[in-house]
Amino acid sequence: MDHSSSLPRSEIDLLGTIIAQSGDPFPLSSTEQKEKEIIHTNRVKLTDYIHDVTMLFPYLKERHIFSVYDCDVIKGESAAYNKVDKFIDVLFTKGPKAIGAFHEALAKTYPGLF
């Protein structure tokens, strides 16, 4: 895939820093913030449990949470662990609806998790 039209990594990092300093562009409710903290706290467990993160993509694309580009970036990671880790990073940039959609996708795709 040709990424020549995408932003260089340094510019993406700079944008992330600017957003972090200016406040959250997607303020979360207290419930959503708690869910985000649970995901963050259980990040390692999630990377151990989710063997194929790409199974979550169809649901998240259907809900307009992830784009094709987001999925390609995640699939570009070399190891399954790194894919899940990148998935969580991308998920946290997608606003308040993303956490709920992730929960729904997990329930459908990995029902044993709950």
Side-chain angles (χ1 to χ4, degrees), residues 24 26-40 43 46 56 59-60 63 65-66 87-107 114:
D24 193 346
F26 303 109
L28 301 174
S29 71
S30 61
T31 302
E32 292 162 336
Q33 185 60 39
K34 286 177 188 173
E35 289 175 344
K36 185 175 178 179
E37 289 171 13
I38 289 169
I39 292 168
H40 181 71
R43 189 177 193 120
L46 286 168
L56 302 171
Y59 186 82
L60 294 172
R63 297 284 309 272
I65 304 296
F66 275 18
F87 173 88
I88 293 169
D89 289 343
V90 172
L91 180 74
F92 284 167
T93 69
K94 296 299 178 176
K97 292 182 181 179
I99 302 297
F102 172 58
H103 186 262
E104 293 165 8
L106 277 178
F114 299 103

Side-chain angles (χ1 to χ4, degrees), residues 12 14-15 20 37 50 96 105:
I12 293 171
L14 177 60
L15 287 173
E37 289 171 13
I50 300 172

Side-chain angles (χ1 to χ4, degrees), residues 14-113:
L14 177 60
L15 287 173
T17 302
I18 292 168
I19 290 170
Q21 291 173 350
S22 64
D24 193 346
F26 303 109
L28 301 174
S29 71
S30 61
T31 302
E32 292 162 336
Q33 185 60 39
K34 286 177 188 173
E35 289 175 344
K36 185 175 178 179
E37 289 171 13
I38 289 169
I39 292 168
H40 181 71
T41 301
N42 292 292
R43 189 177 193 120
V44 172
K45 288 181 184 176
L46 286 168
T47 58
D48 289 341
Y49 189 81
I50 300 172
H51 299 288
D52 185 4
V53 75
T54 63
M55 292 176 61
L56 302 171
F57 291 170
Y59 186 82
L60 294 172
K61 287 192 307 187
E62 178 183 304
R63 297 284 309 272
H64 304 286
I65 304 296
F66 275 18
S67 67
V68 172
Y69 177 76
D70 295 327
C71 297
D72 287 344
V73 167
I74 294 163
K75 285 190 278 187
E77 294 294 324
S78 57
Y81 176 90
N82 293 338
K83 288 178 183 176
V84 175
D85 202 46
K86 177 61 83 175
F87 173 88
I88 293 169
D89 289 343
V90 172
L91 180 74
F92 284 167
T93 69
K94 296 299 178 176
K97 292 182 181 179
I99 302 297
F102 172 58
H103 186 262
E104 293 165 8
L106 277 178
K108 290 176 183 270
T109 310
Y110 292 96
L113 187 60

